[in-house]
Amino acid sequence: MDIIIASFLEDSIVPKFNYWIYVILMMIGLYAMITKNNLIKKLIGMAIFQTAIILLYVSVGVKADANIPIISHHGEKDHVEHAQNENLDSASEGSSHHGSKKEYHVIDKNKFANPLPHVLMLTAIVVGVSTLGLALAISQKVHGSFGTLEEDEILDQLRPGGHD
Amino acid sequence: MADLESSLIPFFAWLVSLVAVPAIILLGRKPDAREGVTFFAAIVKFSLVLLMLPLIREGKILHFSFGEIIEGIPIEFRVDGLGILFAIVASSLWILTSLYALGYMRSLKEHDQTRFFACFALSLSATIGVAFAGNLLTLYIFYEILSLSTYPLVTHHGDKEARSGGRTYLSHLLGTSVAFVLPAMIYCYWKKGGDINFTDGSLLTTNIDSGAGLILLLAFTFGFAKNGLMPFHSWLPNAMVAPTPVSALLHAVAVVKVGVFCVIRVFTGVFGIDLLRDLNVAVVVSWIAAFTVITSSLIALTQDNLKRRLAFSTIGQLSYIILGVSLLTSLGVTGSILHVAMHAFGKITLFFCAGAIYVTMHKKYVSELVGIGRKMPITMTAFAIGSLSVIGLPFTGGLVSKWYLVMGTVDLGADGTVDSGKIALLVIFLVSSILNACYFLPIVYRAFFCRPEESLYEGGRQEAPLACLIPLCITALLSVISFFNPSLFIELAGLIIK
Amino acid sequence: MTDHLPILLLLSPLFGALVCVLFGKGNSKNAWIVSMISLGISSILSVFLLLKVLSIKGGDIRYRMGGWDPSSGYEVGIELRVDILAALIVLAVTLVGFINTIYSKTRVPAEVGEKGPFFYALIQLLIVGLCGIIMTNDAFNLYVLIEITSLTSYALIAMGNRRAALSSFNYVIMGTIGASFYLLGVGYLYIKTGTLNIDDIHTYLENENLWTSQSIIVAFILIMLGVWTKMALFPLHGWLPNAYSYAPSMTGTFMAPLMTKVMVYVMIRVMLWLFGADFVYSEDSVWGELIVWMSVVAIVAGSFLALARNDIKKMLTYLIIAEVGYMVGGAWLNSLTGQAGAFYHILSDAAMTFCLFIAASIVIIRTGESRLNAFDGLFRKMPLTMIGFTIGGLSMIGLPPTCGFFSKWYLISGGIESGHWEFVVALLFSSLINAVIFFKIFERAYFGKIKGIKEEVSVADIDMIPAEGIKSVPASMLIPLFISALSVLILGIMNKNLFSWISNALKMING
């Protein structure tokens, strides 16, 4: 029995622990969005949900012993190699490829984390923040109209006069 | 293949009543001019139809296409013998009905006459569209337009009864056509690989097994619910809330004949008589029609409202036509096509009389008609002639078509023998004729031959207004003439039976 | 200049939006003029775009943002791809936007007051988002544009009365879940393929034969779920009725025809271009059956729920839900006719929903009554509006020669071809229910007694605009109605050409 649990832990959980964390976070967010009564709590759930996805993406770009994907031309010559590398990172939008000089600054992509997910997630973060901001503004309007942010109380207010 | 000739005449024959619609609406304030438009359009239409007649008799098929609307299917007219027969009946009777409607509506000082005449013209356009339709899609489109354009006519009076009658009307007609005809038509389109034209033979030349064939046939037969087949027949008695000119032309001639016309087209042009013989599925339709014939006649016996009695009689007569064509014998099919015309003349006479009685005496019920023969002799004589035609007694056209129908049951089938199953249908024809007599002849008898004390009417003659009287005399006369000279109709019917 | 057509089409409303916000302060009229100009330019450009794509005969226009060239073998940058399908829908979006702006002229001051310029700015941004969704060839860019579309629509809906704000909030929650699922799906795809360009992903999946990979299947499911939430496929439809009913009328008339349909377009793109017909139809053969049955449920449920509704706009929104069922079912039928039918239905449904929503809004505004008895006797008092409504209604029922008949024809053909008889029955059933719904309304309008001007405002109507009386309806509201009713008829009569363009484009991708 212990062996089964141990091998399960070893094979499925430990190597993929990051994915497990994101799934748990997502479920927490989803739970909050659906079951919570208070509008702000729903929004918090939404933020958690979106954050989990963002974390997932970012974790995809991680490589062993990799540095942050910023190229600096001062120092760090040890990262710059003359090379025949034609395997430039295909999705790297920042690949510097100075063609005209006889000295090529070629980058070893294995030394840098994948910057594309970072860039994508910057966009996603912005989207998430705007959504949150918009939702908060809407909540403010709801509060102004109904005087409360609890969903059940709002529905009670609507019921006697509401049509189907 | 008979030779196809391109011609603009079908287009104009169809167009003339369509163009009349805005003209009628615009002339709404001038009733005489407005009625004049109707007459003018009707006469032009009839003339154009007559113009095409000699060409059709030579065996030509006149063709006009509006252009393709779905890949492979144009909206087109193909005028053949069957189509021109129906068109002659419909357009000639429109002239007479317009005269009758004029008298009827004005005597009763009916409201909304402009809407009435405009919808009438539109309905006639749709009817001619069906008559001339060259493929299933064109047929379907005009069939639906006819349902919609007759709705304002059925609900003309606008009261609760009219509204509920209208609801039954539309739900039965639209519901069946959308639910049954539409998928059946698309299935044919898909099976045939992209065209649904009526050909001289079968359009379903690809292999189709009897199961699918039966379902398809039933889908078409029930789907065209204007044919009054049970159980989708109840729109017809309920539509009797309409003013009598509507009941006369549309529900004795145009709308109901469109229904059976579509069935005849399906039998002869979509399946083809030969394919149906092979599949051996038409017998199901025969029995459904036979059931309708007997049941409707029995119900007619119980109806006291005159128009409702006539409505159930119509249902029975329509099923004669369907029964005839489902016999798959050349005499049977000829008989059914003939009956389209003969029944039209007879039934319209009966409805005209019913309306005349209402206009003059304000009586709607059979029980109130005792002794009316002395008061309105011309009307009741015409009624008698119409009854004889519908029953199928000598000197009226109804006998000719009934004769063919009865002969069709004993006609030789494909294998050269007489089908014993059809003898039962022969009996049904005879029994229903007796039933027809049972619900018509007493009316005539009591109208004329009652004792003076029993008569509900006193005083001298008081006939219907002239505008109503003339049409019903003419149609009664037509019923008699068509007995002595049915050759035109027989010839046209023969063109479709190759 | 014509090389840059796609991007100019997007830039025009974008700048229009900026100008509206910066210079249209408090003055709705100016913002309206700016809006008309920018959307007019967009519409004209989209016509040119369509003509250009037609002239290429079966190809597509590719536009690289910023000129990033994939000649080095790697896909960098974002690509816009316009083929005939995209061009048709872009045309529909920009035209509906333009015509809706005509409608908004009198409504914006009445319903949104001094927030007018913001309304126009948001609508233009919404159009930018929609056109971007249609034209983009990059999966992540698609997410961003979906979110742009969603954000602007959340704001547009919340501009209405107090119920609108609450409905918008619910929409925010559900919409975000949907978009996030989509994002997650794209994430899985990225992990497996390393690229975000749709064509590139497809090539990679094919070359490496990743069809049985669990991540790819999960990615597909997640993307589908996300898109289905956004298009309100039953049972993920909960946000739609409230959101569209309580929104201001000019928002409703714009969003109802377009939003869900563009999401259906996204679904078809993802199915056929991103994943490919082989994967979708054979790999997931169980899925195919299941999803067609789901769409059958959607059609039946939507129709029944519409029948049960007494509120005009709610009824129309449930009809939209049923129509989404048509399109999803049609796309999943595994038949070329079905796919092309679903696509044609996108266009035809846009036209008829637009027509119905405008007519309904006019009726509600003029009679002050939002329930079905608003229609009593209207054929006499507001005949023009009722004629427009009738044409839309007949199209929903599916009577020729309206476009609704032809889309039903193609969808039923597709159903028969692929043997999915349940889909055929569902379509016919929905036609019959629509006939009942609409003929009940026609009967009321024809025979009923006309309601007068409302003197008292009941509690239920506190949030409604007070009835302005059944006076003559301003031309700016009638013209859009006529144009949309006319387009319902024209789309029907012209369906042969449209259908052949659409099916040719689909034939190529189906292989």
Side-chain angles (χ1 to χ4, degrees):
Chain A
M1 195 55 199
D2 300 324
I3 306 178
I4 299 175
I5 297 179
S7 68
F8 177 63
L9 277 170
E10 235 179 70
D11 295 332
S12 311
I13 306 225
V14 168
K16 304 180 191 168
F17 75 95
N18 57 332
Y19 295 114
W20 281 99
I21 293 179
Y22 308 140
V23 167
I24 294 173
L25 276 177
M26 266 193 261
M27 291 304 114
I28 294 175
L30 209 53
Y31 170 79
M33 273 201 272
I34 295 175
T35 57
K36 287 296 171 194
N37 226 356
N38 185 303
L39 298 187
I40 302 296
K41 288 186 186 170
K42 283 182 194 268
L43 292 181
I44 296 175
M46 183 175 91
I48 296 175
F49 186 68
Q50 288 181 312
T51 309
I53 299 180
I54 292 172
L55 287 175
L56 186 147
Y57 262 83
V58 171
S59 75
V60 164
V62 165
K63 302 174 198 168
D65 298 329
N67 203 347
I68 51 175
I70 296 180
I71 297 173
S72 164
H73 294 298
H74 312 294
E76 282 136 50
K77 288 205 182 60
D78 44 331
H79 288 294
V80 175
E81 296 171 12
H82 303 289
Q84 17 19 356
N85 312 22
E86 67 279 11
N87 45 352
L88 290 163
D89 190 310
S90 64
S92 160
E93 289 176 355
S95 71
S96 69
H97 197 179
H98 311 289
S100 49
K101 300 212 175 131
K102 55 180 163 57
E103 191 185 288
Y104 287 95
H105 288 276
V106 173
I107 308 166
D108 179 7
K109 65 178 166 77
N110 295 317
K111 293 288 197 301
F112 294 101
N114 189 350
L116 181 61
H118 299 185
V119 166
L120 299 179
M121 285 307 107
L122 282 175
T123 316
I125 291 172
V126 169
V127 168
V129 165
S130 342
T131 314
L132 191 61
L134 180 62
L136 285 170
I138 295 178
S139 317
Q140 201 180 27
K141 188 168 182 193
V142 168
H143 183 81
S145 306
F146 292 99
T148 167
L149 280 175
E150 301 290 328
E151 198 173 22
D152 49 1
E153 288 175 28
I154 297 175
L155 288 174
D156 281 337
Q157 279 191 36
L158 288 174
R159 204 147 287 143
H163 10 245
D164 47 355
Chain B
M1 268 280 277
D3 46 335
L4 218 57
E5 189 179 297
S6 231
S7 163
L8 279 178
I9 308 181
F11 172 67
F12 283 122
W14 168 79
L15 187 67
V16 90
S17 47
L18 194 62
V19 165
V21 176
I24 293 174
I25 297 179
L26 288 172
L27 288 171
R29 304 283 162 143
K30 305 196 177 86
D32 291 327
R34 176 187 69 200
E35 261 71 294
V37 171
T38 307
F39 276 113
F40 181 69
I43 294 174
V44 170
K45 200 192 212 31
F46 187 51
S47 327
L48 286 173
V49 169
L50 285 180
L51 207 63
M52 290 191 274
L53 187 59
L55 295 168
I56 307 289
R57 290 174 79 172
E58 286 170 23
K60 294 216 179 84
I61 297 186
L62 294 177
H63 178 253
F64 174 82
S65 172
F66 284 94
E68 275 193 13
I69 197 162
I70 290 183
E71 194 67 48
I73 314 180
I75 305 283
E76 63 176 356
F77 290 145
R78 283 171 89 248
V79 188
D80 59 4
L82 180 60
I84 202 91
L85 184 146
F86 187 32
I88 290 176
V89 170
S91 52
S92 61
L93 292 177
W94 186 24
I95 304 177
L96 294 173
T97 313
S98 302
L99 180 60
Y100 182 86
L102 201 154
Y104 184 92
M105 300 296 271
R106 288 193 185 186
S107 307
L108 292 177
K109 299 206 183 5
E110 284 275 356
H111 59 102
D112 277 313
Q113 288 192 30
T114 309
R115 180 182 76 191
F116 180 85
F117 284 106
C119 288
F120 226 98
L122 187 58
S123 308
L124 256 301
S125 214
T127 311
I128 296 293
V130 169
F132 290 166
N135 59 39
L136 268 175
L137 184 62
T138 315
L139 190 74
Y140 178 78
I141 292 178
F142 285 118
Y143 185 92
E144 299 290 39
I145 294 179
L146 186 61
S147 305
L148 293 175
S149 65
T150 46
Y151 176 77
L153 293 172
V154 169
T155 55
H156 179 88
H157 288 128
D159 57 13
K160 242 188 143 89
E161 228 181 74
R163 282 172 71 163
S164 117
R167 225 174 284 158
T168 317
Y169 187 75
L170 267 189
S171 58
H172 279 68
L173 292 181
L174 272 185
T176 49
S177 63
V178 167
F180 297 133
V181 177
L182 187 60
M185 175 169 56
I186 298 178
Y187 183 80
C188 287
Y189 177 72
W190 169 67
K191 232 359 170 129
K192 186 91 198 278
D195 91 83
I196 42 176
N197 298 316
F198 298 131
T199 52
D200 276 344
S202 163
L203 95 88
L204 286 173
T205 49
T206 49
N207 290 352
I208 182 169
D209 64 21
S210 358
L214 178 62
I215 297 180
L216 201 59
L217 189 66
L218 288 178
F220 276 122
T221 313
F222 283 125
F224 287 120
K226 292 198 174 96
N227 56 30
L229 211 53
M230 290 186 172
F232 298 113
H233 66 286
S234 42
W235 64 270
L236 188 51
N238 282 317
M240 292 297 124
V241 295
T244 309
V246 177
S247 310
L249 183 65
L250 296 182
H251 298 127
V253 176
V255 170
V256 297
K257 291 302 174 358
V258 157
V260 292
F261 179 87
C262 294
V263 172
I264 299 177
R265 274 278 188 235
V266 165
F267 270 75
T268 57
V270 174
F271 281 87
I273 301 290
D274 299 319
L275 180 63
L276 282 174
R277 281 204 194 125
D278 293 335
L279 289 178
N280 207 16
V281 294
V283 65
V284 177
V285 179
S286 302
W287 283 101
I288 298 176
F291 175 78
T292 308
V293 166
I294 299 293
T295 318
S296 62
S297 303
L298 289 172
I299 299 181
L301 284 172
T302 67
Q303 297 292 315
D304 197 27
N305 181 312
L306 180 58
K307 280 174 70 178
R308 277 182 79 96
R309 185 177 286 209
L310 293 177
F312 278 102
S313 163
T314 306
I315 295 176
Q317 299 294 314
L318 293 172
S319 290
Y320 273 29
I321 299 177
I322 300 178
L323 188 47
V325 83
S326 67
L327 291 171
L328 302 181
T329 59
S330 77
L331 284 177
V333 178
T334 311
S336 65
I337 298 177
L338 278 178
H339 205 57
V340 170
M342 304 306 180
H343 172 253
F345 293 133
K347 215 27 144 329
I348 203 173
T349 313
L350 291 171
F351 271 105
F352 279 163
C353 297
I357 294 173
Y358 182 70
V359 163
T360 328
M361 296 285 141
H362 295 285
K363 299 285 180 220
K364 295 199 277 194
Y365 293 98
V366 170
S367 46
E368 296 168 330
L369 296 181
V370 184
I372 198 169
R374 274 177 257 266
K375 197 101 174 120
M376 304 176 69
I378 303 180
T379 309
M380 289 316 292
T381 313
F383 189 91
I385 297 177
S387 312
L388 292 179
S389 185
V390 172
I391 300 172
L393 289 174
F395 303 120
T396 57
L399 177 65
V400 181
S401 50
K402 257 211 182 135
W403 178 260
Y404 272 87
L405 283 170
V406 168
M407 284 294 110
T409 57
V410 294
D411 192 11
L412 303 178
D415 46 7
T417 59
V418 177
D419 190 342
S420 57
K422 302 212 173 120
I423 304 292
L425 296 171
L426 171 70
V427 172
I428 292 193
F429 268 123
L430 297 176
V431 167
S432 71
S433 297
I434 296 175
L435 286 172
N436 291 352
C438 287
Y439 58 70
F440 276 132
L441 292 180
I443 304 180
V444 178
Y445 184 81
R446 278 211 296 268
F448 282 111
F449 302 118
C450 65
R451 293 196 298 272
E453 319 84 70
E454 283 181 340
S455 169
L456 298 167
Y457 301 92
E458 294 133 6
R461 290 168 35 161
Q462 185 188 348
E463 278 291 354
L466 209 59
C468 294
L469 209 53
I470 297 179
L472 59 89
C473 292
I474 297 181
T475 53
L477 223 66
L478 280 171
S479 305
V480 176
I481 293 176
S482 51
F483 172 75
F484 292 104
N485 197 359
S487 53
L488 172 65
F489 295 122
I490 299 180
E491 185 189 328
L492 289 174
L495 285 171
I496 199 92
I497 326 251
K498 285 287 185 352
Chain C
M1 148 101 162
T2 51
D3 291 333
H4 299 286
L5 270 179
I7 196 63
L8 286 175
L9 212 141
L10 289 176
L11 286 179
S12 168
L14 188 61
F15 283 129
L18 285 173
V19 170
C20 279
V21 172
L22 290 176
F23 300 112
K25 285 236 169 32
N27 191 338
S28 285
K29 184 80 188 286
N30 289 345
W32 178 77
I33 295 176
V34 170
S35 206
M36 289 284 282
I37 295 175
S38 76
L39 288 176
I41 294 176
S42 256
S43 310
I44 297 175
L45 289 178
S46 60
V47 172
F48 284 142
L49 192 61
L50 179 62
L51 292 172
K52 189 163 176 211
V53 174
L54 280 174
S55 67
I56 302 184
K57 284 200 194 318
D60 45 25
I61 301 176
R62 303 260 172 166
Y63 182 84
R64 301 224 147 244
M65 301 277 281
W68 286 95
D69 194 0
S71 60
S72 60
Y74 295 101
E75 278 290 340
V76 297
I78 293 175
E79 180 189 23
L80 297 179
R81 182 261 308 279
V82 183
D83 57 6
I84 187 81
L85 303 172
L88 282 171
I89 303 207
V90 165
L91 182 61
V93 168
T94 47
L95 275 182
V96 170
F98 181 69
I99 299 171
N100 192 53
T101 315
I102 303 178
Y103 173 81
S104 315
K105 181 170 175 221
T106 49
R107 298 317 310 161
V108 165
E111 295 184 38
V112 177
E114 72 254 346
K115 294 205 203 120
F118 297 118
F119 169 81
Y120 286 113
L122 284 170
I123 281 258
Q124 288 174 86
L125 288 174
L126 179 54
I127 293 178
V128 170
L130 287 173
C131 292
I133 290 177
I134 299 165
M135 294 196 287
T136 186
N137 205 21
D138 180 294
F140 188 80
N141 193 227
L142 191 59
Y143 166 74
V144 174
L145 290 163
I146 289 178
E147 285 294 71
I148 293 178
T149 317
S150 309
L151 284 172
T152 46
S153 55
Y154 302 150
L156 282 168
I157 292 176
M159 271 184 165
N161 57 29
R162 60 186 206 150
R163 289 203 73 158
L166 185 64
S167 319
S168 182
F169 188 87
N170 283 326
Y171 184 20
V172 169
I173 299 289
M174 288 215 66
T176 309
I177 297 178
S180 305
F181 276 152
Y182 175 84
L183 183 60
L184 201 51
V186 170
Y188 279 55
L189 281 177
Y190 174 67
I191 294 174
K192 277 312 242 200
T193 63
T195 171
L196 290 168
N197 182 299
I198 289 180
D199 291 332
D200 226 33
I201 296 179
H202 181 74
T203 317
Y204 197 89
L205 288 175
E206 232 174 64
N207 292 343
E208 306 289 321
N209 202 11
L210 285 172
W211 303 123
T212 48
S213 150
Q214 266 197 329
S215 346
I216 298 300
I217 295 178
V218 169
F220 184 71
I221 296 173
L222 284 172
I223 294 181
M224 282 292 126
L225 280 175
V227 177
W228 286 340
T229 314
K230 284 268 172 208
M231 71 168 79
L233 180 67
F234 189 90
L236 301 166
H237 67 288
W239 56 270
L240 188 111
N242 283 346
Y244 286 2
S245 308
Y246 299 124
S249 70
M250 59 279 182
T251 307
T253 52
F254 181 77
M255 289 178 50
L258 289 179
M259 298 282 304
T260 50
K261 320 299 177 293
V262 171
M263 287 304 151
V264 171
Y265 167 88
V266 169
M267 181 186 81
I268 298 180
R269 270 273 185 246
V270 164
M271 274 166 65
L272 296 178
W273 275 263
L274 185 53
F275 284 93
D278 299 325
F279 174 76
V280 170
Y281 293 127
S282 62
E283 179 77 34
D284 297 315
S285 58
V286 167
W287 289 107
E289 292 293 324
L290 189 63
I291 293 172
V292 173
W293 274 103
M294 266 174 58
S295 63
V296 165
V297 170
I299 296 174
V300 173
S303 304
F304 267 131
L305 289 169
L307 189 59
R309 288 281 161 261
N310 204 11
D311 180 287
I312 300 175
K313 279 207 170 150
K314 286 271 177 64
M315 177 195 86
L316 290 176
T317 56
Y318 279 107
L319 285 177
I320 296 179
I321 293 173
E323 301 283 324
V324 168
Y326 284 27
M327 292 183 273
V328 171
W332 278 89
L333 280 177
N334 195 8
S335 133
L336 181 65
T337 321
Q339 286 170 8
F343 206 89
Y344 175 79
H345 196 64
I346 292 179
L347 296 171
S348 106
D349 195 45
M352 56 183 170
T353 312
F354 192 41
C355 181
L356 284 172
F357 257 83
I358 293 184
S361 302
I362 295 179
V363 167
I364 294 176
I365 290 166
R366 288 292 145 195
T367 60
E369 173 68 60
S370 67
R371 278 168 288 223
L372 284 179
N373 51 16
F375 280 103
D376 286 356
L378 275 188
F379 257 119
R380 282 180 210 274
K381 270 292 173 173
M382 294 170 74
L384 299 174
T385 314
M386 278 316 293
I387 291 178
F389 188 83
T390 308
I391 294 179
L394 292 179
S395 187
M396 277 280 181
I397 299 173
L399 292 173
T402 58
C403 55
F405 172 72
F406 295 105
S407 48
K408 285 222 165 78
W409 175 283
Y410 293 125
L411 287 170
I412 293 179
S413 299
I416 295 180
E417 228 174 83
S418 57
H420 281 281
W421 289 97
E422 69 273 11
F423 187 63
V424 175
V425 171
L427 283 176
L428 294 174
F429 180 77
S430 142
S431 287
L432 293 175
I433 300 249
N434 287 353
V436 172
I437 293 176
F438 282 102
F439 273 103
K440 267 190 354 195
I441 296 181
F442 296 153
E443 208 190 300
R444 285 194 109 115
Y446 201 57
F447 293 114
K449 300 282 173 264
I450 304 158
K451 292 196 108 49
I453 304 171
K454 277 184 109 42
E455 309 287 26
E456 283 188 51
V457 181
S458 69
V459 169
D461 296 321
I462 278 179
D463 301 310
M464 290 294 302
I465 319 119
E468 292 156 64
I470 310 181
K471 303 191 291 264
S472 53
V473 181
S476 68
M477 281 161 73
L478 278 180
I479 292 177
L481 183 59
F482 282 141
I483 299 179
S484 58
L486 210 64
S487 59
V488 165
L489 293 170
I490 292 177
L491 277 176
I493 296 176
M494 268 192 63
N495 81 88
K496 193 177 94 127
N497 291 333
L498 283 172
F499 190 76
S500 62
W501 292 343
I502 295 171
S503 47
N504 285 338
L506 284 171
K507 247 180 244 177
M508 282 176 15
I509 197 67
N510 268 315

